[in-house]
Amino acid sequence: MATNMWEQTEEMAKKHDADSSTWLKLANDEDKAVVVFLGEPYPREVSFVDGKYVPADDAVRAAGHKVSLRVAYNVALPETGEVKVLEQGVMFFKDLVRVREKYGLEKWAFEIQRHGAAKDPKTTYSILPEHQLSVEQQKAFQALPQHDLAKLYSGEGDSGGAKGGQSLDSYDKKSDAKGDGTVAPNVAQGLVTALKALPREATDKFLAKFGVQRIKDLPTSQVEKARAFVEQLQTESAAPAAAETEVDPFA
């Protein structure tokens, strides 16, 4: 039991570390995440100098450093509605272009998985369609505030503010400062986004289960249970939709 709790706590610590960051990090072999791609890519020509990527300006090029392409994307996490920044190389971009041409990025949630240990130069990433989004879900995800990638990489603002407002990280800090024990605004927005894509009765079930009248009143201690319950509601809602697409043998 002790070993299991150590492992469980380690996994929880990793998740909390990932949740607190602007960046979506797949740091280890077999790490994976389900995402919805938002907006336009942001490409940069960079060189790896002194253990970090720097812009490939004239001085860097003159020094003979190898120049490579890095591309950043705004991605939403369907489970929470949080918007993260994912940065990848040119091979990932080429694979994503093929996926975009075949599926349409705004129409699907995709699973991204790392194949390779930390710092392994041969590391690759797979991109697979996870589940198709309804028209309502597509609109809800594309309406989420995105990080201004140009400002993020130029160092302007607070860890890359979302368009039209403050950064998601700053919202988290405000929520912590209140100390009222309710869910952070960006997490609440994620739950709202997921529930709005479902029939109204799903929201009623959610409110009744957690004994609140508004999503933003959900206690912080109930966030994980709330996310699990939303996933359950999504599964229940998807079942009839799948049946409706079946061919009617009597038609």
Side-chain angles (χ1 to χ4, degrees):
M1 178 62 70
T3 301
N4 289 339
M5 289 307 296
W6 276 105
E7 293 174 351
Q8 181 179 341
T9 304
E10 183 179 12
E11 289 302 313
M12 291 175 67
K14 289 180 181 178
K15 184 177 186 303
H16 279 273
D17 181 56
D19 287 347
S20 66
S21 172
T22 300
W23 309 93
L24 176 61
K25 300 175 182 177
L26 303 177
N28 302 300
D29 187 31
E30 303 304 318
D31 279 359
K32 66 177 72 172
V34 175
V35 304
V36 176
F37 287 91
L38 308 175
E40 301 291 327
Y42 181 74
R44 298 183 305 138
E45 287 190 321
V46 298
S47 293
F48 198 66
V49 182
D50 296 330
K52 62 182 179 180
Y53 286 108
V54 298
D57 56 20
D58 292 341
V60 169
R61 293 173 187 269
H65 294 290
K66 180 181 178 181
V67 177
S68 61
L69 181 68
R70 301 291 293 178
V71 186
Y73 313 86
N74 274 292
V75 296
L77 306 183
E79 183 181 351
T80 65
E82 294 172 284
V83 178
K84 302 280 190 178
V85 177
L86 173 68
E87 181 181 298
Q88 292 290 340
V90 66
M91 294 307 298
F92 182 93
F93 174 75
K94 290 180 178 179
D95 288 342
L96 190 62
V97 167
R98 288 192 286 269
V99 170
R100 178 175 179 263
E101 291 173 348
K102 184 169 183 177
Y103 296 99
L105 295 185
E106 74 283 355
K107 297 179 181 179
W108 288 79
F110 295 91
E111 179 192 85
I112 302 170
Q113 184 168 19
R114 178 183 178 123
H115 305 284
K119 299 183 180 180
D120 184 348
K122 296 183 179 180
T123 293
T124 60
Y125 294 84
S126 58
I127 312 169
L128 295 174
E130 175 70 13
H131 60 263
Q132 194 163 10
L133 304 174
S134 67
V135 174
E136 291 76 15
Q137 288 174 321
Q138 292 175 40
K139 291 180 179 178
F141 280 118
Q142 296 302 322
L144 289 173
Q146 299 175 31
H147 293 281
D148 188 322
L149 299 176
K151 288 185 177 180
L152 175 63
Y153 281 99
S154 69
E156 297 179 31
D158 219 6
S159 10
K163 291 179 181 177
Q166 293 168 288
S167 70
L168 299 180
D169 288 346
S170 69
Y171 280 132
D172 284 337
K173 293 172 185 175
K174 284 187 175 182
S175 178
D176 291 342
K178 288 191 303 181
D180 57 8
T182 55
V183 64
N186 64 302
V187 177
Q189 182 58 47
L191 295 170
V192 168
T193 299
L195 288 169
K196 278 187 174 181
L198 301 175
R200 169 66 202 206
E201 54 264 29
T203 300
D204 294 336
K205 288 181 181 179
F206 181 93
L207 296 175
K209 180 175 178 63
F210 295 99
V212 295
Q213 293 183 325
R214 301 175 300 181
I215 307 298
K216 66 180 182 180
D217 294 332
L218 181 75
T220 302
S221 60
Q222 297 294 308
V223 168
E224 294 304 322
K225 290 182 180 179
R227 289 170 174 168
F229 189 64
V230 169
E231 287 186 358
Q232 178 183 328
L233 293 172
Q234 289 172 328
T235 301
E236 292 173 356
S237 178
E244 290 173 4
T245 62
E246 294 178 357
V247 177
D248 184 357
F250 303 108

